[in-house]
Amino acid sequence: NESIKGKEQMAVDSVFKNLKVLGGFEAENLVFAMDAWSRGLGVSCGHCHNTDNFADDSKHKKGIAREMVMMGNMISEKLKTIDGLSKRPIVNCITCHRGELKPAFRMSEK
């Protein structure tokens, strides 16, 4: 991503502002995560962000995204306590959303 060129390996919170639930990794990983979340929900950056000021919290959807990240982390931690699952079970946006803004409530007919 051109916006962080030369800063990819720096700590994410030294490159980006107003991170409230993310941290402890390299800046380039935030770019990858945001791209994956965007695809996982089928939305663009502007769905959650003021694209003129990504640190701005004026969009309610950004707060929802933060809550969803925390929920996913809680579920992933709980999954680690279930015997017989993989060594690193994880849920993320794609787990439920499957590329759609609203997750499905039932399986489609085949």
Side-chain angles (χ1 to χ4, degrees):
N1 185 311
E2 288 298 313
S3 67
I4 65 164
K5 192 156 185 88
K7 300 177 185 178
E8 297 90 345
Q9 306 306 307
M10 292 174 63
V12 68
D13 55 352
S14 70
V15 176
F16 296 97
K17 293 181 170 106
N18 196 22
L19 298 177
K20 294 182 179 176
V21 298
L22 300 171
F25 51 86
E26 295 171 341
E28 69 182 348
N29 291 328
L30 183 64
V31 176
F32 297 136
M34 289 292 150
D35 182 55
W37 295 344
S38 180
R39 285 182 283 121
L41 296 172
V43 299
S44 67
C45 302
H47 182 76
C48 295
H49 293 280
N50 167 356
T51 56
D52 292 325
N53 177 4
F54 281 84
D56 178 50
D57 283 341
S58 63
K59 287 200 170 190
H60 183 65
K61 300 288 185 188
K62 187 175 181 182
I64 292 172
R66 285 177 171 139
E67 293 287 336
M68 296 296 281
V69 167
M70 290 187 293
M71 180 185 70
N73 290 343
M74 286 182 350
I75 294 169
S76 293
E77 285 302 312
K78 177 63 179 168
L79 289 173
K80 291 176 185 177
T81 69
I82 300 173
D83 189 39
L85 295 182
S86 69
K87 291 183 182 192
R88 191 171 172 249
I90 190 169
V91 298
N92 58 30
C93 303
I94 294 168
T95 305
C96 299
H97 286 273
R98 306 280 185 188
E100 300 292 332
L101 185 56
K102 294 188 181 217
F105 290 108
R106 57 179 72 88
M107 296 293 292
S108 62
E109 299 291 323
K110 289 192 177 194

